Amino acid sequence: MEYYYSFKSYLKKLHNKKIWRVPLSTGYSCPNRIKSTGCTFCDGKSFIAEYMNYKNIEDQLKYGIDFFGKKFEVNFFYGYFQQNSSTFGKTDDLVNKYETVLSNQNILGLIISTRPDCIDKTITDKIKELKIKYDKDIWIELGLQSVYDKTLSLINRNHTYYDFKKAVKIINDVETINIGVHMIIGLPDETPQTIFNGFKILFSENKIQGLKMRILDILPDTEMESYYKKSPKHFYNFSNNEYIELICNILEIIPENTVILRTLNYNPINLINKDKKLLTKDQILDGIRKKFIKRGTKQGCYFNKDSPNCPHPALISTPKLFL
């Protein structure tokens, strides 16, 4: 039994093939690092494959397909514009790069990761044209991180929750493009209660098809690291069990047809964790499964009247501090 709707299950249902994501770069910078110092949690270089430094998108795609195809024994892929804000730049150039990826016979879909303030009708109309032309699965992943403007200001996102809601509406007007949302768990001054309430706000106010979660990791030489060293009391110190408990609570209030693109991004070296023994990613995922079995619940059970085991803090009101 599957306790949440994973991206792997979504791809199997849609294509019935083994598929891998090929990370790509448009070659443009992040606008937040142009007009300011960037987000406090980001170093701008982590998790970026060396081949993504190639300016030519054809070369990036070829290398990525060859590398991941051999490593994971897979023949079909989604192109994933992962680096920086992938709707920021010259529109015609961006569209040409999207089309180069979509026109490849080994590519079955496209994921474009970006910021809410880098979405407008011009770019979504162009993406819609590509969707019609190639009839392939297309996702836009919006980096939100938190629904609370206080938090967004603290981490220097330079956009608001309202900006995100506007971007969601623009994309939803296209109808054929899926929306995924990036959220970070453990940002400064956010407790398990406020985090949970934030997800409740997110899904009650927005039409979203996918969710990508990440626990905050403190990267070296970032503003977030400096802030943590100076003010550790502003960061909630999760135990392994508390994190597992929170993820299960969140998944229970998310509609069962929402694709969980990622449950956690786990780098045990930089995590804030009160337990002496850190669990591995697989152990945390197994813990989530066991917690659901013990509860007799799963993703979306909050909306199912036939799930009597699902009463939990779903009706907690949002603290005035975060309104």
Side-chain angles (χ1 to χ4, degrees), residues 222-259:
T222 59
E223 289 186 49
M224 185 68 78
E225 182 189 44
S226 298
Y227 184 53
Y228 175 67
K229 288 179 177 179
K230 292 178 183 177
S231 306
K233 66 180 181 180
H234 288 281
F235 294 76
Y236 189 84
N237 198 347
F238 283 95
S239 69
N240 294 316
N241 188 62
E242 283 175 318
Y243 183 74
I244 290 169
E245 184 94 15
L246 177 59
I247 293 297
C248 290
N249 285 344
I250 290 169
L251 289 173
E252 286 174 347
I253 62 165
I254 293 174
E256 62 183 358
N257 62 345
T258 302
V259 184

mmCIF file of all heavy atoms in Angstrom, residues 222-259:
data_model
loop_
_atom_site.group_PDB
_atom_site.id
_atom_site.type_symbol
_atom_site.label_atom_id
_atom_site.label_comp_id
_atom_site.label_asym_id
_atom_site.label_seq_id
_atom_site.Cartn_x
_atom_site.Cartn_y
_atom_site.Cartn_z
ATOM 1 N N THR A 222 26.951 30.827 4.246
ATOM 2 C CA THR A 222 25.718 31.509 3.874
ATOM 3 C C THR A 222 25.312 32.452 5.003
ATOM 4 O O THR A 222 25.775 32.326 6.138
ATOM 5 C CB THR A 222 24.570 30.519 3.629
ATOM 6 O OG1 THR A 222 24.358 29.749 4.818
ATOM 7 C CG2 THR A 222 24.881 29.592 2.455
ATOM 8 N N GLU A 223 24.422 33.401 4.689
ATOM 9 C CA GLU A 223 23.906 34.290 5.727
ATOM 10 C C GLU A 223 23.129 33.510 6.779
ATOM 11 O O GLU A 223 23.113 33.870 7.950
ATOM 12 C CB GLU A 223 23.016 35.360 5.091
ATOM 13 C CG GLU A 223 23.770 36.398 4.277
ATOM 14 C CD GLU A 223 22.848 37.500 3.799
ATOM 15 O OE1 GLU A 223 22.091 38.048 4.624
ATOM 16 O OE2 GLU A 223 22.877 37.805 2.596
ATOM 17 N N MET A 224 22.488 32.419 6.328
ATOM 18 C CA MET A 224 21.733 31.593 7.268
ATOM 19 C C MET A 224 22.669 30.977 8.311
ATOM 20 O O MET A 224 22.324 30.895 9.495
ATOM 21 C CB MET A 224 20.987 30.490 6.529
ATOM 22 C CG MET A 224 20.069 29.655 7.407
ATOM 23 S SD MET A 224 18.639 30.576 8.022
ATOM 24 C CE MET A 224 17.601 30.559 6.548
ATOM 25 N N GLU A 225 23.840 30.556 7.889
ATOM 26 C CA GLU A 225 24.803 29.988 8.826
ATOM 27 C C GLU A 225 25.219 31.037 9.862
ATOM 28 O O GLU A 225 25.286 30.751 11.062
ATOM 29 C CB GLU A 225 26.039 29.470 8.088
ATOM 30 C CG GLU A 225 27.054 28.817 9.036
ATOM 31 C CD GLU A 225 28.380 28.500 8.361
ATOM 32 O OE1 GLU A 225 28.889 29.370 7.617
ATOM 33 O OE2 GLU A 225 28.902 27.393 8.589
ATOM 34 N N SER A 226 25.487 32.266 9.407
ATOM 35 C CA SER A 226 25.883 33.331 10.330
ATOM 36 C C SER A 226 24.771 33.632 11.327
ATOM 37 O O SER A 226 25.015 33.819 12.526
ATOM 38 C CB SER A 226 26.227 34.601 9.543
ATOM 39 O OG SER A 226 27.318 34.372 8.678
ATOM 40 N N TYR A 227 23.547 33.664 10.840
ATOM 41 C CA TYR A 227 22.402 33.949 11.697
ATOM 42 C C TYR A 227 22.204 32.838 12.731
ATOM 43 O O TYR A 227 21.923 33.098 13.905
ATOM 44 C CB TYR A 227 21.144 34.112 10.842
ATOM 45 C CG TYR A 227 19.908 34.512 11.626
ATOM 46 C CD1 TYR A 227 19.920 35.619 12.466
ATOM 47 C CD2 TYR A 227 18.729 33.781 11.508
ATOM 48 C CE1 TYR A 227 18.791 35.992 13.180
ATOM 49 C CE2 TYR A 227 17.591 34.146 12.220
ATOM 50 C CZ TYR A 227 17.632 35.252 13.047
ATOM 51 O OH TYR A 227 16.512 35.611 13.752
ATOM 52 N N TYR A 228 22.389 31.589 12.283
ATOM 53 C CA TYR A 228 22.239 30.459 13.200
ATOM 54 C C TYR A 228 23.294 30.504 14.304
ATOM 55 O O TYR A 228 22.998 30.247 15.481
ATOM 56 C CB TYR A 228 22.324 29.142 12.435
ATOM 57 C CG TYR A 228 22.301 27.937 13.344
ATOM 58 C CD1 TYR A 228 21.164 27.620 14.083
ATOM 59 C CD2 TYR A 228 23.430 27.129 13.488
ATOM 60 C CE1 TYR A 228 21.144 26.527 14.937
ATOM 61 C CE2 TYR A 228 23.410 26.032 14.332
ATOM 62 C CZ TYR A 228 22.274 25.738 15.059
ATOM 63 O OH TYR A 228 22.262 24.662 15.898
ATOM 64 N N LYS A 229 24.528 30.833 13.951
ATOM 65 C CA LYS A 229 25.607 30.892 14.945
ATOM 66 C C LYS A 229 25.348 31.993 15.976
ATOM 67 O O LYS A 229 25.671 31.840 17.156
ATOM 68 C CB LYS A 229 26.951 31.111 14.252
ATOM 69 C CG LYS A 229 27.459 29.889 13.497
ATOM 70 C CD LYS A 229 28.793 30.174 12.814
ATOM 71 C CE LYS A 229 29.326 28.927 12.117
ATOM 72 N NZ LYS A 229 30.614 29.190 11.414
ATOM 73 N N LYS A 230 24.751 33.102 15.520
ATOM 74 C CA LYS A 230 24.477 34.222 16.418
ATOM 75 C C LYS A 230 23.203 34.011 17.231
ATOM 76 O O LYS A 230 23.132 34.404 18.404
ATOM 77 C CB LYS A 230 24.348 35.522 15.606
ATOM 78 C CG LYS A 230 25.639 35.991 14.964
ATOM 79 C CD LYS A 230 25.402 37.249 14.138
ATOM 80 C CE LYS A 230 26.681 37.694 13.434
ATOM 81 N NZ LYS A 230 26.445 38.887 12.571
ATOM 82 N N SER A 231 22.192 33.382 16.601
ATOM 83 C CA SER A 231 20.873 33.286 17.246
ATOM 84 C C SER A 231 20.268 31.894 17.093
ATOM 85 O O SER A 231 19.214 31.735 16.465
ATOM 86 C CB SER A 231 19.935 34.342 16.639
ATOM 87 O OG SER A 231 20.487 35.630 16.704
ATOM 88 N N PRO A 232 20.895 30.865 17.643
ATOM 89 C CA PRO A 232 20.368 29.499 17.478
ATOM 90 C C PRO A 232 18.984 29.307 18.077
ATOM 91 O O PRO A 232 18.245 28.417 17.661
ATOM 92 C CB PRO A 232 21.413 28.636 18.193
ATOM 93 C CG PRO A 232 22.102 29.558 19.138
ATOM 94 C CD PRO A 232 22.119 30.895 18.467
ATOM 95 N N LYS A 233 18.597 30.156 19.044
ATOM 96 C CA LYS A 233 17.291 30.007 19.687
ATOM 97 C C LYS A 233 16.138 30.269 18.725
ATOM 98 O O LYS A 233 14.991 29.898 19.017
ATOM 99 C CB LYS A 233 17.185 30.944 20.885
ATOM 100 C CG LYS A 233 17.194 32.420 20.538
ATOM 101 C CD LYS A 233 17.089 33.283 21.790
ATOM 102 C CE LYS A 233 17.068 34.776 21.417
ATOM 103 N NZ LYS A 233 16.954 35.630 22.622
ATOM 104 N N HIS A 234 16.410 30.890 17.586
ATOM 105 C CA HIS A 234 15.361 31.174 16.607
ATOM 106 C C HIS A 234 15.064 29.967 15.698
ATOM 107 O O HIS A 234 14.173 30.037 14.849
ATOM 108 C CB HIS A 234 15.757 32.370 15.737
ATOM 109 C CG HIS A 234 15.705 33.674 16.462
ATOM 110 N ND1 HIS A 234 14.520 34.363 16.694
ATOM 111 C CD2 HIS A 234 16.677 34.425 17.043
ATOM 112 C CE1 HIS A 234 14.777 35.475 17.366
ATOM 113 N NE2 HIS A 234 16.076 35.534 17.587
ATOM 114 N N PHE A 235 15.807 28.890 15.859
ATOM 115 C CA PHE A 235 15.646 27.713 15.005
ATOM 116 C C PHE A 235 15.072 26.561 15.824
ATOM 117 O O PHE A 235 15.615 26.208 16.871
ATOM 118 C CB PHE A 235 16.989 27.294 14.415
ATOM 119 C CG PHE A 235 17.573 28.293 13.453
ATOM 120 C CD1 PHE A 235 18.174 29.457 13.919
ATOM 121 C CD2 PHE A 235 17.531 28.074 12.078
ATOM 122 C CE1 PHE A 235 18.712 30.387 13.041
ATOM 123 C CE2 PHE A 235 18.074 28.983 11.192
ATOM 124 C CZ PHE A 235 18.655 30.146 11.667
ATOM 125 N N TYR A 236 13.986 25.963 15.340
ATOM 126 C CA TYR A 236 13.408 24.829 16.043
ATOM 127 C C TYR A 236 14.294 23.603 15.852
ATOM 128 O O TYR A 236 14.664 23.258 14.723
ATOM 129 C CB TYR A 236 11.996 24.516 15.543
ATOM 130 C CG TYR A 236 11.314 23.492 16.423
ATOM 131 C CD1 TYR A 236 10.660 23.891 17.583
ATOM 132 C CD2 TYR A 236 11.377 22.131 16.130
ATOM 133 C CE1 TYR A 236 10.073 22.964 18.432
ATOM 134 C CE2 TYR A 236 10.791 21.192 16.972
ATOM 135 C CZ TYR A 236 10.143 21.613 18.117
ATOM 136 O OH TYR A 236 9.576 20.698 18.949
ATOM 137 N N ASN A 237 14.617 22.960 16.958
ATOM 138 C CA ASN A 237 15.528 21.827 16.941
ATOM 139 C C ASN A 237 14.718 20.523 16.912
ATOM 140 O O ASN A 237 14.297 20.021 17.947
ATOM 141 C CB ASN A 237 16.416 21.880 18.190
ATOM 142 C CG ASN A 237 17.662 21.038 18.060
ATOM 143 O OD1 ASN A 237 17.772 20.211 17.151
ATOM 144 N ND2 ASN A 237 18.601 21.223 18.967
ATOM 145 N N PHE A 238 14.491 19.992 15.718
ATOM 146 C CA PHE A 238 13.685 18.782 15.572
ATOM 147 C C PHE A 238 14.417 17.543 16.084
ATOM 148 O O PHE A 238 15.617 17.394 15.882
ATOM 149 C CB PHE A 238 13.365 18.529 14.094
ATOM 150 C CG PHE A 238 12.291 19.414 13.539
ATOM 151 C CD1 PHE A 238 12.602 20.581 12.874
ATOM 152 C CD2 PHE A 238 10.953 19.067 13.677
ATOM 153 C CE1 PHE A 238 11.621 21.396 12.355
ATOM 154 C CE2 PHE A 238 9.958 19.871 13.166
ATOM 155 C CZ PHE A 238 10.283 21.038 12.504
ATOM 156 N N SER A 239 13.653 16.652 16.706
ATOM 157 C CA SER A 239 14.132 15.286 16.885
ATOM 158 C C SER A 239 13.702 14.514 15.648
ATOM 159 O O SER A 239 12.854 14.968 14.872
ATOM 160 C CB SER A 239 13.524 14.648 18.137
ATOM 161 O OG SER A 239 12.133 14.433 17.952
ATOM 162 N N ASN A 240 14.276 13.344 15.448
ATOM 163 C CA ASN A 240 13.891 12.529 14.293
ATOM 164 C C ASN A 240 12.389 12.230 14.315
ATOM 165 O O ASN A 240 11.699 12.341 13.298
ATOM 166 C CB ASN A 240 14.679 11.215 14.281
ATOM 167 C CG ASN A 240 16.161 11.427 14.047
ATOM 168 O OD1 ASN A 240 16.553 12.207 13.197
ATOM 169 N ND2 ASN A 240 16.993 10.745 14.830
ATOM 170 N N ASN A 241 11.880 11.861 15.487
ATOM 171 C CA ASN A 241 10.471 11.496 15.587
ATOM 172 C C ASN A 241 9.558 12.702 15.364
ATOM 173 O O ASN A 241 8.493 12.578 14.754
ATOM 174 C CB ASN A 241 10.165 10.877 16.953
ATOM 175 C CG ASN A 241 8.763 10.317 17.019
ATOM 176 O OD1 ASN A 241 8.407 9.405 16.277
ATOM 177 N ND2 ASN A 241 7.943 10.885 17.896
ATOM 178 N N GLU A 242 9.969 13.882 15.848
ATOM 179 C CA GLU A 242 9.163 15.086 15.646
ATOM 180 C C GLU A 242 9.050 15.432 14.163
ATOM 181 O O GLU A 242 7.991 15.851 13.688
ATOM 182 C CB GLU A 242 9.786 16.260 16.396
ATOM 183 C CG GLU A 242 9.539 16.255 17.890
ATOM 184 C CD GLU A 242 10.277 17.371 18.591
ATOM 185 O OE1 GLU A 242 11.453 17.625 18.259
ATOM 186 O OE2 GLU A 242 9.674 17.996 19.478
ATOM 187 N N TYR A 243 10.141 15.253 13.442
ATOM 188 C CA TYR A 243 10.103 15.541 12.002
ATOM 189 C C TYR A 243 9.177 14.564 11.287
ATOM 190 O O TYR A 243 8.360 14.958 10.449
ATOM 191 C CB TYR A 243 11.519 15.477 11.415
ATOM 192 C CG TYR A 243 11.543 15.845 9.946
ATOM 193 C CD1 TYR A 243 11.396 17.171 9.548
ATOM 194 C CD2 TYR A 243 11.687 14.873 8.959
ATOM 195 C CE1 TYR A 243 11.388 17.515 8.210
ATOM 196 C CE2 TYR A 243 11.685 15.219 7.619
ATOM 197 C CZ TYR A 243 11.550 16.533 7.249
ATOM 198 O OH TYR A 243 11.529 16.873 5.923
ATOM 199 N N ILE A 244 9.296 13.281 11.613
ATOM 200 C CA ILE A 244 8.429 12.265 11.013
ATOM 201 C C ILE A 244 6.962 12.558 11.332
ATOM 202 O O ILE A 244 6.086 12.478 10.468
ATOM 203 C CB ILE A 244 8.836 10.861 11.506
ATOM 204 C CG1 ILE A 244 10.194 10.466 10.906
ATOM 205 C CG2 ILE A 244 7.770 9.818 11.143
ATOM 206 C CD1 ILE A 244 10.807 9.229 11.523
ATOM 207 N N GLU A 245 6.694 12.909 12.584
ATOM 208 C CA GLU A 245 5.336 13.242 13.017
ATOM 209 C C GLU A 245 4.778 14.412 12.216
ATOM 210 O O GLU A 245 3.627 14.391 11.759
ATOM 211 C CB GLU A 245 5.352 13.589 14.508
ATOM 212 C CG GLU A 245 3.996 13.859 15.108
ATOM 213 C CD GLU A 245 3.373 12.623 15.739
ATOM 214 O OE1 GLU A 245 4.086 11.640 15.971
ATOM 215 O OE2 GLU A 245 2.158 12.670 15.982
ATOM 216 N N LEU A 246 5.592 15.442 12.022
ATOM 217 C CA LEU A 246 5.141 16.627 11.296
ATOM 218 C C LEU A 246 4.841 16.304 9.838
ATOM 219 O O LEU A 246 3.823 16.748 9.292
ATOM 220 C CB LEU A 246 6.198 17.734 11.389
ATOM 221 C CG LEU A 246 5.888 19.025 10.619
ATOM 222 C CD1 LEU A 246 4.577 19.645 11.110
ATOM 223 C CD2 LEU A 246 7.040 20.018 10.751
ATOM 224 N N ILE A 247 5.720 15.540 9.192
ATOM 225 C CA ILE A 247 5.500 15.182 7.790
ATOM 226 C C ILE A 247 4.193 14.412 7.645
ATOM 227 O O ILE A 247 3.404 14.666 6.718
ATOM 228 C CB ILE A 247 6.676 14.343 7.245
ATOM 229 C CG1 ILE A 247 7.954 15.177 7.176
ATOM 230 C CG2 ILE A 247 6.344 13.790 5.853
ATOM 231 C CD1 ILE A 247 7.876 16.354 6.220
ATOM 232 N N CYS A 248 3.925 13.488 8.541
ATOM 233 C CA CYS A 248 2.667 12.730 8.482
ATOM 234 C C CYS A 248 1.467 13.654 8.680
ATOM 235 O O CYS A 248 0.461 13.544 7.967
ATOM 236 C CB CYS A 248 2.659 11.621 9.525
ATOM 237 S SG CYS A 248 3.801 10.266 9.158
ATOM 238 N N ASN A 249 1.562 14.579 9.650
ATOM 239 C CA ASN A 249 0.477 15.538 9.859
ATOM 240 C C ASN A 249 0.205 16.354 8.596
ATOM 241 O O ASN A 249 -0.939 16.583 8.216
ATOM 242 C CB ASN A 249 0.825 16.482 11.012
ATOM 243 C CG ASN A 249 0.698 15.833 12.373
ATOM 244 O OD1 ASN A 249 0.079 14.778 12.510
ATOM 245 N ND2 ASN A 249 1.291 16.455 13.377
ATOM 246 N N ILE A 250 1.285 16.810 7.960
ATOM 247 C CA ILE A 250 1.141 17.618 6.748
ATOM 248 C C ILE A 250 0.498 16.805 5.634
ATOM 249 O O ILE A 250 -0.442 17.264 4.975
ATOM 250 C CB ILE A 250 2.516 18.159 6.309
ATOM 251 C CG1 ILE A 250 3.024 19.223 7.288
ATOM 252 C CG2 ILE A 250 2.442 18.744 4.886
ATOM 253 C CD1 ILE A 250 4.464 19.619 7.094
ATOM 254 N N LEU A 251 0.990 15.609 5.407
ATOM 255 C CA LEU A 251 0.471 14.790 4.314
ATOM 256 C C LEU A 251 -1.007 14.461 4.511
ATOM 257 O O LEU A 251 -1.763 14.363 3.547
ATOM 258 C CB LEU A 251 1.286 13.503 4.179
ATOM 259 C CG LEU A 251 2.709 13.671 3.641
ATOM 260 C CD1 LEU A 251 3.474 12.354 3.711
ATOM 261 C CD2 LEU A 251 2.696 14.196 2.210
ATOM 262 N N GLU A 252 -1.424 14.313 5.749
ATOM 263 C CA GLU A 252 -2.826 13.981 6.011
ATOM 264 C C GLU A 252 -3.784 15.088 5.581
ATOM 265 O O GLU A 252 -4.945 14.814 5.245
ATOM 266 C CB GLU A 252 -3.013 13.671 7.499
ATOM 267 C CG GLU A 252 -2.449 12.316 7.901
ATOM 268 C CD GLU A 252 -2.506 12.068 9.396
ATOM 269 O OE1 GLU A 252 -2.755 13.017 10.164
ATOM 270 O OE2 GLU A 252 -2.286 10.925 9.803
ATOM 271 N N ILE A 253 -3.327 16.352 5.553
ATOM 272 C CA ILE A 253 -4.220 17.458 5.172
ATOM 273 C C ILE A 253 -4.003 17.911 3.731
ATOM 274 O O ILE A 253 -4.523 18.941 3.300
ATOM 275 C CB ILE A 253 -4.051 18.662 6.119
ATOM 276 C CG1 ILE A 253 -2.625 19.219 6.052
ATOM 277 C CG2 ILE A 253 -4.429 18.282 7.543
ATOM 278 C CD1 ILE A 253 -2.472 20.602 6.653
ATOM 279 N N ILE A 254 -3.232 17.137 2.962
ATOM 280 C CA ILE A 254 -2.997 17.448 1.548
ATOM 281 C C ILE A 254 -3.848 16.508 0.696
ATOM 282 O O ILE A 254 -3.831 15.293 0.915
ATOM 283 C CB ILE A 254 -1.505 17.292 1.204
ATOM 284 C CG1 ILE A 254 -0.692 18.368 1.938
ATOM 285 C CG2 ILE A 254 -1.279 17.384 -0.307
ATOM 286 C CD1 ILE A 254 0.790 18.220 1.773
ATOM 287 N N PRO A 255 -4.614 17.030 -0.263
ATOM 288 C CA PRO A 255 -5.465 16.169 -1.093
ATOM 289 C C PRO A 255 -4.705 14.994 -1.674
ATOM 290 O O PRO A 255 -3.542 15.130 -2.079
ATOM 291 C CB PRO A 255 -5.951 17.128 -2.189
ATOM 292 C CG PRO A 255 -5.928 18.474 -1.538
ATOM 293 C CD PRO A 255 -4.742 18.457 -0.618
ATOM 294 N N GLU A 256 -5.353 13.835 -1.720
ATOM 295 C CA GLU A 256 -4.674 12.602 -2.108
ATOM 296 C C GLU A 256 -4.206 12.591 -3.559
ATOM 297 O O GLU A 256 -3.331 11.808 -3.917
ATOM 298 C CB GLU A 256 -5.573 11.393 -1.847
ATOM 299 C CG GLU A 256 -6.862 11.377 -2.635
ATOM 300 C CD GLU A 256 -7.738 10.186 -2.285
ATOM 301 O OE1 GLU A 256 -7.323 9.355 -1.457
ATOM 302 O OE2 GLU A 256 -8.849 10.099 -2.848
ATOM 303 N N ASN A 257 -4.759 13.478 -4.409
ATOM 304 C CA ASN A 257 -4.317 13.536 -5.803
ATOM 305 C C ASN A 257 -3.178 14.524 -6.023
ATOM 306 O O ASN A 257 -2.724 14.728 -7.148
ATOM 307 C CB ASN A 257 -5.487 13.871 -6.724
ATOM 308 C CG ASN A 257 -6.089 15.242 -6.427
ATOM 309 O OD1 ASN A 257 -5.838 15.829 -5.369
ATOM 310 N ND2 ASN A 257 -6.883 15.752 -7.347
ATOM 311 N N THR A 258 -2.689 15.159 -4.945
ATOM 312 C CA THR A 258 -1.525 16.042 -5.036
ATOM 313 C C THR A 258 -0.259 15.196 -5.079
ATOM 314 O O THR A 258 -0.053 14.334 -4.227
ATOM 315 C CB THR A 258 -1.455 16.994 -3.829
ATOM 316 O OG1 THR A 258 -2.657 17.761 -3.770
ATOM 317 C CG2 THR A 258 -0.259 17.925 -3.934
ATOM 318 N N VAL A 259 0.585 15.431 -6.064
ATOM 319 C CA VAL A 259 1.809 14.649 -6.225
ATOM 320 C C VAL A 259 2.868 15.149 -5.245
ATOM 321 O O VAL A 259 3.172 16.342 -5.199
ATOM 322 C CB VAL A 259 2.353 14.750 -7.664
ATOM 323 C CG1 VAL A 259 3.583 13.857 -7.836
ATOM 324 C CG2 VAL A 259 1.273 14.371 -8.678
#
